[in-house]
Amino acid sequence: MSLSAHNLSLSLSGTPLLNAIDLDVLPGKISTVLGPNGAGKTSLLRVLVGELAPDTGSVTLNGRALQECPAIQRARTLAVLPQHSLLNFPFTAAEVVMLGRTPHATGIAHDREVVAQALQAVDGDYLANRIYTQLSGGEKQRVHLARVLAQIWESSPDGERYLVLDEPTSSFDLAHQHLTLEVVRSLADKGVGVLMVIHDLNLAARCSDQMFLMQCGNMVISGTPQEVLQRETISRVFQVDASIGVHPLSGTPLVIT
Amino acid sequence: MAPNRLLLILGCALLPLVLIALMMGPVFISPASLLHALLQALGGTGEGRVTSQDGLILFSIRFPRVLLAGLVGVCLAVCGTAMQGLFRNPLADPSLIGVSSGASAGASLMIVLGGGALLEGGQFAGLSVVALGAFAGGFLAVILVYRLATSSTGTSVATMLLAGIAISALAGALNSLLSFVADDEMLRRISLWQMGSLDAANWPRVWIAAAAVAVVMLLLPREGAALNAFLLGESEARHLGIAVDAVKRRLILMTAMAIGISVAVAGTISFVGLIVPHIIRLLIGPDHRYLIPASALAGAMLLIVADAFARVVVAPAELPAGILTALLGTPFFLSLLAQKRRVGEG
């Protein structure tokens, strides 16, 4: 059981964006996609969640072709946090999180409970009755994080659950960056497969079980943080000189530039 | 305000409002006389059960008119709600997808082509030829807009917006052309028709509008959860398990049908579809599960009140109701905006 890409290729109006990508997101593991701007990270995510159809190759969700999964089943097992949200209607934060319960039919009382727990998980209980459109950028992003958490909060009879996040930490301060990673880790511990696009190599090194490093639509290397974050690889892909140290507390690689 | 409370208030206010509207008009009908006629109608049997002059006025003129106003108000407000949700834009209204301008062009075409004879004589199921032309024109415009925005990859809301503007412009040009060739009498008919009025109300029109309302109020509330998810964006709605393209198709078809019919029976009454959902959203927030029924009630009430005033302010003549919806709704809306409980409303 996994969320898997098999030999994905994609080009948009003649420009190749993805080239023969293979990737597995495993339940209970945190995988991160890294790479410089324009490497194809977001395109890969969009194909993986079914927003774009690949030219060749396929995506499978728990062994089933993604396009053949009924919409509700897919929504109960795969949640997606986009980088930006278009929402500009004055829902309360709790109402926004409640939208994550749309594919579920578990009853309003239970849904409210899940919403409260999800908001609490992102340090957002105090936001519950605030108007979404009045929140700061970071608060909005946390509300949406709580929304996707609420969507896959409990194990589903439809199969293993997956969470895909596009740069979830980009608008967060330091404390909330780490909070996000903790949330994602505890989710993985409950058996959810997580895939994140992340720019901060050190943040990625601390939380990843599996790393995918991309450049110009190709998968350069995949493996554990120790395997991926090598000096030559970093300088080749990101065009910067870096030294690799060891994080004094976690023992994970530390990229110093 | 709690959504359920607003629904309760609106629901309770509707019946008294209908009764007051029934009394108002060039001939004032006293409450006692209204009660008498109603009891007579309920309790009476056979022919000629209502004989008084007031009773005749009530049952052949006032009732159809007040009911039609309410039904058309429901159509306009509810479809406005659906369009604002679909386009994720609180400024959207049904005219955005070409239905109003298409209907205007259709009506003008019938007025100019048909001339006098057809206008007086041509009736079909209680609808004049002009009304049928309006329905056909409005429906055709929406289908065209929808077709233009739909490709193998689905329906693009952004393209639909642009196609709506284009088709509206085209219909507007056709309308201007028809006004240009029309004679003075036709010109007056065209411009009066475009202001919207309920003075042609009769029972067949009430039944047609009631059928449209029944369909819309049966089907649209089921899309409440989908419309809520739509506000997040289409991809997000899809990730939440909503069959986005099917929902879009249903919303567009429902709007084309309901607005087409309401335009056919009452002309283009602007403003209700835009402002009513807006007012309700300021009061109870954007949750469509409450927004749709509350807008339906408020839309009915606004148009009933506007039409009652339209009958009395310049009696025995009449103002087009479309003018009054704007005159009555705007101050209320502006005062709400000034208080603006939920700031940040786009």
Side-chain angles (χ1 to χ4, degrees):
Chain A
M1 292 290 121
S2 60
L3 173 64
S4 303
H6 313 280
N7 195 28
L8 287 184
S9 295
L10 175 75
S11 55
L12 273 188
S13 39
T15 318
L17 296 178
L18 297 174
N19 188 15
I21 303 283
D22 284 293
L23 172 152
D24 286 304
V25 183
L26 299 170
K29 302 279 184 208
I30 296 179
S31 309
T32 48
V33 181
L34 311 167
N37 292 331
K41 305 182 294 289
T42 298
S43 303
L44 173 60
L45 245 56
R46 294 186 64 192
V47 174
L48 264 180
V49 301
E51 283 177 28
L52 286 176
D55 298 337
T56 63
S58 63
V59 177
T60 55
L61 175 62
N62 290 329
R64 237 170 131 179
L66 189 66
Q67 313 92 287
E68 285 163 21
C69 280
I72 287 283
Q73 261 183 42
R74 193 204 291 192
R76 285 176 181 171
T77 47
L78 174 62
V80 183
L81 182 69
Q83 207 173 333
H84 304 288
S85 172
L86 300 166
L87 183 62
N88 67 346
F89 280 76
F91 281 118
T92 64
E95 283 172 331
V96 175
V97 180
M98 187 62 98
L99 290 177
R101 301 300 295 171
T102 307
H104 299 275
T106 45
I108 187 76
H110 183 73
D111 286 346
R112 283 213 181 100
E113 213 170 284
V114 171
V115 166
Q117 287 170 7
L119 266 173
Q120 196 167 22
V122 300
D123 185 24
D125 2 18
Y126 71 97
L127 296 173
N129 293 317
R130 298 262 308 273
I131 303 300
Y132 170 83
T133 43
Q134 297 172 345
L135 303 180
S136 74
E139 286 171 332
K140 284 180 180 172
Q141 191 64 4
R142 270 190 287 151
V143 169
H144 282 293
L145 181 60
R147 171 173 68 80
V148 292
L149 290 181
Q151 190 180 344
I152 51 162
W153 193 251
E154 293 152 326
S155 59
S156 161
D158 297 305
E160 301 289 350
R161 294 162 290 159
Y162 303 91
L163 178 59
V164 174
L165 310 102
D166 195 356
E167 297 191 30
T169 55
S170 56
S171 53
F172 286 167
D173 58 30
L174 212 52
H176 285 122
Q177 284 185 0
H178 285 270
L179 175 87
T180 307
L181 298 189
E182 275 168 35
V183 167
V184 164
R185 171 54 69 192
S186 72
L187 211 60
D189 290 342
K190 288 198 274 177
V192 176
V194 178
L195 182 69
M196 283 193 279
V197 167
I198 224 165
H199 268 298
D200 186 327
L201 297 180
N202 292 320
L203 219 52
R206 286 192 59 179
C207 69
S208 303
D209 297 309
Q210 175 90 348
M211 278 185 161
F212 298 96
L213 183 57
M214 290 181 72
Q215 185 183 27
C216 302
N218 293 297
M219 190 64 81
V220 179
I221 184 174
S222 66
T224 62
Q226 283 80 2
E227 289 165 344
V228 172
L229 296 177
Q230 299 284 334
R231 194 173 167 182
E232 318 78 77
T233 320
I234 300 289
S235 72
R236 182 158 51 89
V237 172
F238 290 97
Q239 320 267 317
V240 286
D241 276 327
S243 329
I244 310 294
V246 173
H247 192 284
L249 297 175
S250 61
T252 51
L254 196 58
V255 180
I256 301 155
T257 55
Chain B
M1 189 186 293
N4 283 327
R5 208 168 129 224
L6 180 71
L7 277 175
L8 191 71
I9 293 173
L10 290 174
C12 292
L14 186 60
L15 186 65
L17 205 68
V18 167
L19 292 178
I20 294 170
L22 283 171
M23 295 180 229
M24 284 169 69
V27 177
F28 178 78
I29 295 176
S30 68
S33 181
L34 174 65
L35 191 69
H36 180 71
L38 281 176
L39 286 178
Q40 217 179 358
L42 286 175
T45 50
E47 285 175 33
R49 57 191 182 185
V50 178
T51 46
S52 64
Q53 193 205 351
D54 282 356
L56 284 175
I57 291 176
L58 270 175
F59 285 97
S60 57
I61 299 173
R62 293 280 166 83
F63 257 112
R65 184 150 183 173
V66 171
L67 289 178
L68 192 67
L71 292 167
V72 168
V74 171
C75 281
L76 295 172
V78 160
C79 292
T81 312
M83 288 301 105
Q84 292 179 1
L86 178 63
F87 285 99
R88 286 192 299 281
N89 188 337
L91 294 177
D93 83 339
S95 65
L96 215 56
I97 52 170
V99 62
S100 308
S101 47
S104 289
S108 303
L109 192 69
M110 286 303 153
I111 291 171
V112 171
L113 284 188
L118 203 54
L119 282 174
E120 304 311 324
Q123 293 265 327
F124 179 77
L127 289 172
S128 65
V129 175
V130 178
L132 289 174
F135 178 75
F139 203 79
L140 203 69
V142 176
I143 298 305
L144 210 57
V145 168
Y146 181 70
R147 284 265 153 230
L148 283 169
T150 306
S151 64
S152 56
T153 55
T155 308
S156 157
V157 164
T159 314
M160 200 146 64
L161 200 64
L162 292 173
I165 291 170
I167 295 296
S168 295
L170 187 69
L174 184 64
N175 213 357
S176 301
L177 189 69
L178 288 165
S179 304
F180 184 72
V181 299
D183 61 28
D184 284 355
E185 166 61 17
M186 291 172 181
L187 207 55
R188 183 170 164 74
R189 274 176 183 275
I190 289 176
S191 61
L192 274 179
W193 188 88
Q194 282 169 2
M195 287 176 212
S197 174
L198 292 143
D199 58 1
N202 56 24
W203 283 109
R205 287 185 180 215
V206 170
W207 298 131
I208 292 170
V213 166
V215 170
V216 169
M217 289 316 291
L218 215 59
L219 298 180
L220 196 60
R222 297 183 191 185
E223 313 287 358
L227 278 166
N228 284 344
F230 254 85
L231 298 186
L232 289 169
E234 270 176 49
S235 307
E236 282 76 5
R238 217 170 257 127
H239 293 316
L240 287 170
I242 306 293
V244 170
D245 285 302
V247 171
K248 271 191 248 182
R249 190 172 54 239
R250 289 200 293 267
L251 290 177
I252 293 289
L253 273 177
M254 252 185 275
T255 304
M257 185 274 299
I259 298 295
I261 285 180
S262 71
V263 168
V265 297
T268 49
I269 294 174
S270 55
F271 197 74
V272 179
L274 173 68
I275 231 73
V276 168
H278 226 103
I279 290 173
I280 302 297
R281 211 181 291 115
L282 283 170
L283 289 170
I284 61 170
D287 188 338
H288 284 87
R289 289 168 303 168
Y290 301 106
L291 191 56
I292 291 170
S295 294
L297 289 169
M301 288 163 71
L302 174 59
L303 205 51
I304 287 173
V305 172
D307 184 55
F309 276 104
R311 291 195 301 264
V312 292
V313 277
V314 289
E318 275 192 20
L319 273 181
I323 297 175
L324 276 154
T325 50
L327 280 179
L328 287 171
T330 311
F332 185 55
F333 179 62
L334 288 178
S335 74
L336 267 180
L337 269 188
Q339 303 170 15
K340 212 167 186 177
R341 187 175 80 82
R342 293 186 165 204
V343 190
E345 172 90 359

